[in-house]
Amino acid sequence: MSSFKIQGPCRIKGRISLPGDKSIAHRFVFLGSISRNLTVIKNFPFNDDCISTAKVFKKLGAQISYFPREKLVKILGKGLRGLKKPDSAIFVGESGTTLRLLLGVLSGQSFKTRLICAKSLSRRPMLRVTRPLREMGARIFCRKSPQGEEYPPITIAGSNLKSIKYKMPIASAQVKSAILLAGLYAQGVTRVIEPVRSRDHTERLLKAFRADIKVLGRQVSIRGKKELISAGSVYVPGDISSAAFFLVLATILINSKIVLKNCSLNPTRAGVIEVLKRMGADIKVTRHRSRFARFEPMGDIEVRSSRLKGTIVKRSEIPSLIDELPILMVAASFAQGKSRLEGVGELRVKETDRIKSMQENLRKMGADIQVTRSQSHYAQAYTDASDSVGCKVTSGEDIVIQGGFGLKGAKVKSFGDHRTAMSMIVAGLAARGITTIDDTICISKSFPDFLKVLKSIIK
Ligand code: S3P
């Protein structure tokens, strides 16, 4: 394990470009592999998760070449029906997005596939995806817990799918995307209705690859059996989830200013910008009008030091910042007054239980952080609805942070979770004294160059 020592506080200054957005990159590989013609993906993030997706589709017969120095991936797709049965089990690494979206594609294939994964992913719930896919006709066999939840490894045998209308009990882009991808193979129109809109990259990119897809409020419909045509040369905007660490860091440090270039500004992902602005952050956004920005909005973000005040993050905002909650907990610890993050229970089923890991770490650094049963009635109703369809989700929890006292250095842990690790590095850089983090290798899951980029802007 490589532990990492930080002496805070410091200041940062500079202009940086972030690695391509992980969610968008996964989807370009998926669609590039099952469409016709060549897809050239620029600014591809060569992180562990996205490499897992590319390896999976290579194994399923797509012609994929990598050019890491140019941050480029080229895919000669096989069309909707061109994937081949893999010669052995497919390893999906630690990537939840790879696995859940893949279940959608494999539901429509004429062969059987065995999917295996690394340790942390084998503890993440799958019933939320397997349930609707079985309704469409897929045959899926998983490891089962005594409570009825399902986990990898998974064996999936595709079939002739039928379309469904599915009212999702939880807002999850992974579940929505798996159903839409299966919908490509189904007879008729598949409809998905979300309780709150989650990230919409799958919808946007399916449109770019000429799928017959319609979005009406919280409902997405897709007509199956239509061949996809590649969008050709595409660009992956910088990852807003990676940007979030720098947005918070530049805000809470004194005399700091940074510019994040070519960053994703997709409104279903930009909740962190809205919340930080509401807390008093000095953030300016300049939108780009390039041809690459026509599928996924992007632009530059400028951020300067400022004094934050506490805020309430509503449950309806959570899907737009779900992966940024750990770093928002750090921001709230530095903000004057009380912050409440409502209905955050989904954090319990990420790479780690992020409520537990962040609470334990921030408390060690002197933060006043409590977890309570959600005060939002809506969140509770939502939890009950999730339970009633067999998906164990406890979104009825709030995090309450009383901030403004600063943090002090401590020995903290990443728990093997990339976003916990990066959040705690940011906390350490703004804290008084020395912070040590036990293990930072996990950061390569999304942002292998994080420490290098960080060092380049520390003054
Ligand atoms: C993702 C969706 C989110 C997010 C994950 C990536 C995606 O998960 O937390 O990191 O790319 O679709 P859920 O769909 O489980 O909310």
Side-chain angles (χ1 to χ4, degrees):
M1 280 214 226
S2 71
S3 75
F4 189 71
K5 202 171 174 181
I6 302 151
Q7 168 77 63
C10 65
R11 72 183 191 101
I12 57 170
K13 216 173 186 66
R15 290 167 80 80
I16 53 177
S17 292
L18 296 159
D21 185 276
K22 191 155 83 75
S23 288
I24 298 175
H26 281 303
R27 285 153 172 88
F28 273 137
V29 176
F30 269 79
L31 299 187
S33 301
I34 58 169
S35 60
R36 295 239 169 261
N37 303 343
L38 180 69
T39 303
V40 178
I41 311 173
K42 299 180 178 172
N43 200 33
F44 186 85
F46 282 86
N47 58 45
D48 296 352
D49 276 8
C50 292
I51 293 172
S52 284
T53 295
K55 280 187 178 162
V56 164
F57 278 97
K58 241 182 162 169
K59 211 158 167 174
L60 286 166
Q63 260 173 272
I64 304 186
S65 11
Y66 313 110
F67 305 88
R69 253 203 272 152
E70 290 80 14
K71 298 185 197 159
L72 204 75
V73 165
K74 291 185 183 175
I75 305 179
L76 191 54
K78 292 285 160 185
L80 217 49
R81 291 272 158 214
L83 298 180
K84 69 167 178 43
K85 181 176 168 54
D87 45 20
S88 55
I90 291 186
F91 180 65
V92 297
E94 295 278 11
S95 177
T97 306
T98 310
L99 178 57
R100 291 188 175 131
L101 270 59
L102 190 58
L103 290 173
V105 169
L106 293 177
S107 292
Q109 306 303 318
S110 54
F111 50 81
K112 195 194 240 183
T113 315
R114 174 123 177 110
L115 301 168
I116 52 176
C117 65
K119 203 166 146 205
S120 87
L121 183 52
S122 67
R123 291 192 292 256
R124 297 182 67 187
M126 293 296 143
L127 188 58
R128 52 184 61 199
V129 198
T130 55
R131 200 184 174 95
L133 294 179
R134 281 197 192 102
E135 245 182 72
M136 295 177 81
R139 281 162 301 141
I140 310 175
F141 309 92
C142 308
R143 184 169 61 82
K144 265 202 161 94
S145 75
Q147 292 75 30
E149 184 50 88
E150 297 190 326
Y151 300 94
I154 301 176
T155 299
I156 176 162
S159 74
N160 281 327
L161 300 182
K162 63 175 198 297
S163 52
I164 55 166
K165 181 171 181 177
Y166 191 69
K167 218 170 159 186
M168 291 183 28
I170 44 171
S172 161
Q174 292 179 351
V175 177
K176 171 178 65 178
S177 303
I179 300 170
L180 293 175
L181 290 169
L184 288 170
Y185 296 90
Q187 192 66 48
V189 179
T190 297
R191 292 187 173 83
V192 191
I193 303 149
E194 296 190 275
V196 179
R197 282 207 81 185
S198 62
R199 64 189 69 188
D200 66 355
H201 307 302
T202 304
E203 296 91 304
R204 285 173 181 269
L205 303 191
L206 275 168
K207 221 174 255 172
F209 280 66
R210 317 250 195 102
D212 188 353
I213 181 166
K214 285 193 184 69
V215 180
L216 201 68
R218 288 179 288 110
Q219 174 170 300
V220 188
S221 327
I222 190 159
R223 183 177 293 282
K225 310 266 178 192
K226 180 177 183 287
E227 204 56 67
L228 300 180
I229 308 294
S230 170
S233 180
V234 295
Y235 183 89
V236 187
D239 198 323
I240 184 74
S241 298
S242 303
F245 302 107
F246 297 99
L247 293 179
V248 171
L249 186 59
T251 300
I252 61 181
L253 292 176
I254 53 161
N255 292 330
S256 294
K257 177 191 159 187
I258 50 163
V259 178
L260 307 170
K261 309 249 316 142
N262 304 329
C263 195
S264 165
L265 295 175
N266 180 316
T268 61
R269 288 286 296 287
V272 66
I273 298 179
E274 296 314 311
V275 169
L276 285 173
K277 276 186 174 171
R278 201 158 77 213
M279 293 174 83
D282 182 354
I283 298 177
K284 286 190 190 72
V285 169
T286 318
R287 286 182 181 278
H288 287 189
R289 306 217 173 273
S290 77
R291 79 182 172 90
F292 290 125
R294 70 183 191 273
F295 307 133
E296 284 285 351
M298 61 189 224
D300 298 344
I301 310 175
E302 184 183 303
V303 54
R304 292 167 193 266
S305 318
S306 48
R307 287 173 75 85
L308 295 181
K309 57 181 191 301
T311 191
I312 294 177
V313 179
K314 294 269 174 224
R315 191 199 71 94
S316 55
E317 291 178 282
I318 297 296
S320 72
L321 46 76
I322 181 75
D323 293 338
E324 290 68 75
L325 284 167
I327 191 62
L328 281 174
M329 291 183 218
V330 175
S333 305
F334 283 92
Q336 274 309 321
K338 196 178 184 177
S339 292
R340 176 182 289 278
L341 315 175
E342 293 184 347
V344 296
E346 270 291 284
L347 283 189
R348 297 244 184 240
V349 290
K350 294 296 174 189
E351 279 83 338
T352 52
D353 175 343
R354 286 184 177 154
I355 295 182
K356 191 164 164 274
S357 65
M358 289 303 295
Q359 186 182 32
E360 186 177 319
N361 281 332
L362 287 174
R363 274 191 174 161
K364 278 190 190 160
M365 298 183 78
D368 176 351
I369 171 168
Q370 312 288 337
V371 181
T372 64
R373 222 177 135 77
S374 190
Q375 288 193 355
S376 145
H377 296 304
Y378 192 31
Q380 197 48 54
Y382 182 69
T383 305
D384 298 342
S386 315
D387 284 349
S388 70
V389 294
C391 304
K392 268 272 166 261
V393 180
T394 48
S395 40
E397 283 181 285
D398 295 350
I399 295 170
V400 182
I401 297 173
Q402 188 70 48
F405 313 108
L407 296 179
K408 60 177 196 305
K411 264 190 166 171
V412 296
K413 290 196 252 174
S414 71
F415 296 87
D417 177 352
H418 58 138
R419 298 202 201 281
T420 300
M422 289 184 274
S423 299
M424 294 320 298
I425 290 173
V426 169
L429 283 168
R432 300 177 301 276
I434 294 173
T435 297
T436 316
I437 301 186
D438 63 339
D439 167 32
T440 53
I441 299 247
C442 53
I443 292 176
S444 65
K445 188 174 201 287
S446 63
F447 196 169
D449 283 339
F450 175 71
L451 293 176
K452 200 166 129 195
V453 173
L454 189 58
K455 280 176 189 157
S456 75
I457 53 171
I458 291 181
K459 301 296 163 202

